Amino acid sequence: MTATAPAAEATVRKSSPGAARGPRRRTGRIRRVGLPYLLLLPALLLELLVHLVPMVIGIVMSFKELTQFYIRDWSTAPWAGLDNYSVSVDFDAPVGQALLHSFLVTVAFTVLSVGLCWLIGTAAAVFMQDTFRGRGLLRALFLVPYALPVYAAVITWVFMFQHDNGLVNHVLHDQLGLTDKPSFWLIGDNSFVALLTVSVWKGWPFAFLIVMAGLQNIPRELYEAAALDGAGMVQQLRRITLPSLRPVNQVLVLVLFLWTFNDFNTPYVLFGKSAPEAADLISVHIYQASFGTWNFGTGSAMSVLLLLFLLVVTGVYLALTSRGRRTAS
């Protein structure tokens, strides 16, 4: 009896519902944990196909002497090593000088565009915090430039910037008399102003949307207490609004920087395949260096250099902002 009692007890334990429920719980837990990754798998595969695979191919192409003679089978192009990179960064040669000029133009354009987008978007978001009649309609109108397709929006500006019958010259010259004669906005030095205007007009609603969402998380009690202490609107903006929006602004500035520095659609639709020298952004310059001269090896090297620059700037920016958050906390 003593020998058979443990065996009978083990048999009862195995056949009990609690023993069977343990493996089932583990299986259900595995399914719950693995299901999100299974659902994300198609998106990850598409991401590999759409972004990472072309990126790797472009890096390989940058080390090849890929010209129009090897387009049919680019893998047979001779190996160039670092020659494409040395040509791109040789600022004493015409190719390097043109790339450096395009880079400086892009830096100036990005700084001005991001700064103006943030300034206008923040001012509009702060203004829209007050309750007044028609606020919902005005918010919707503010978001129209961001919601419009890029081609439709920019091609409209192309017609507005026309020299003879454009709306911009009609207002500035014919109605207001601010210029001596109609200006050429799509060629010459004015092309930079035209490009900046379109970029800010198209980008500030995104800053407005993000800042307006960040303002919703600031407690109204802080403003009420500051008002009771005698703080004016400017002091409330400096002491409450801007410090509270610091995490939002850090992400916003980074996203605007990456979008603006890599912007290809706006200058391409505005000026065509060959942008004026004053508005020669690096995205269009790399396109022209690749498809205009059929030197895809040099164009790929320029693209890789641009990628490295953006990675370095992003890494430094994230390091500085994270250090600032740790210092503030």
Side-chain angles (χ1 to χ4, degrees):
M1 299 226 9
T2 57
T4 57
E9 185 179 354
T11 304
V12 172
R13 188 182 298 112
K14 290 181 180 179
S15 60
S16 62
R21 195 179 299 119
R24 291 179 183 176
R25 288 180 178 176
R26 286 194 295 270
T27 304
R29 189 181 301 110
I30 293 174
R31 290 178 180 177
R32 287 194 302 270
V33 173
L35 181 60
Y37 296 99
L38 183 62
L39 295 176
L40 286 174
L41 185 60
L44 293 176
L45 293 177
L46 290 176
E47 185 74 16
L48 289 174
L49 293 175
V50 174
H51 292 286
L52 295 183
V53 173
M55 185 185 302
V56 173
I57 294 176
I59 294 175
V60 175
M61 290 170 57
S62 67
F63 293 100
K64 286 180 171 290
E65 190 179 344
L66 184 57
T67 60
Q68 67 268 29
F69 303 106
Y70 301 97
I71 293 179
R72 184 180 297 273
D73 188 5
W74 66 272
S75 60
T76 60
W79 194 261
L82 297 176
D83 292 343
N84 293 325
Y85 292 92
S86 61
V87 169
S88 300
V89 297
D90 186 6
F91 301 134
D92 295 329
V95 176
Q97 290 178 355
L99 181 62
L100 179 61
H101 173 267
S102 178
F103 174 77
L104 296 178
V105 170
T106 307
V107 170
F109 165 75
T110 302
V111 171
L112 291 175
S113 179
V114 172
L116 290 174
C117 286
W118 177 85
L119 182 62
I120 298 174
T122 302
V126 172
F127 171 74
M128 296 298 292
Q129 287 301 107
D130 296 332
T131 303
F132 56 88
R133 182 176 298 179
R135 184 178 66 168
L137 177 61
L138 198 57
R139 282 180 177 178
L141 292 177
F142 282 174
L143 295 177
V144 168
Y146 179 68
L148 283 175
V150 176
Y151 184 85
V154 178
I155 202 66
T156 303
W157 279 99
V158 173
F159 289 109
M160 293 173 60
F161 281 129
Q162 292 298 316
H163 177 264
D164 297 326
N165 53 4
L167 179 63
V168 176
N169 280 334
H170 176 69
V171 173
L172 295 180
H173 176 68
D174 299 337
Q175 294 186 348
L176 300 179
L178 297 179
T179 57
D180 298 333
K181 57 182 179 180
S183 303
F184 289 95
W185 293 102
L186 300 179
I187 59 175
D189 295 337
N190 290 332
S191 59
F192 183 86
V193 179
L195 178 61
L196 182 63
T197 302
V198 178
S199 177
V200 173
W201 176 85
K202 186 171 59 70
W204 79 264
F206 176 75
F208 162 73
L209 185 65
I210 299 302
V211 174
M212 187 173 60
L215 289 174
Q216 306 302 318
N217 296 324
I218 302 178
R220 301 300 303 176
E221 291 79 5
L222 295 178
Y223 294 100
E224 295 174 358
L228 292 176
D229 292 338
M233 185 177 63
V234 177
Q235 291 179 335
Q236 293 179 15
L237 182 65
R238 291 179 54 190
R239 303 297 182 181
I240 300 176
T241 304
L242 293 180
S244 301
L245 289 176
R246 184 175 300 169
V248 176
N249 285 329
Q250 289 173 352
V251 178
L252 174 62
V253 170
L254 179 60
V255 172
L256 287 176
F257 168 77
L258 294 176
W259 282 0
T260 307
F261 209 97
N262 284 318
D263 190 11
F264 174 81
N265 295 326
T266 301
Y268 185 81
V269 177
L270 197 62
F271 304 115
K273 296 181 180 180
S274 180
E277 186 177 0
D280 185 23
L281 297 188
I282 196 168
S283 57
V284 181
H285 183 85
I286 293 175
Y287 169 83
Q288 185 65 26
S290 301
F291 294 92
T293 62
W294 297 92
N295 195 339
F296 295 98
T298 304
S300 300
M302 293 179 181
S303 299
V304 174
L305 291 174
L306 175 60
L307 174 63
L308 293 176
F309 170 77
L310 293 178
L311 288 176
V312 170
V313 172
T314 303
V316 172
Y317 178 82
L318 293 177
L320 293 177
T321 52
S322 61
R323 182 183 302 175
R325 285 196 300 268
R326 288 195 299 266
T327 302
S329 61

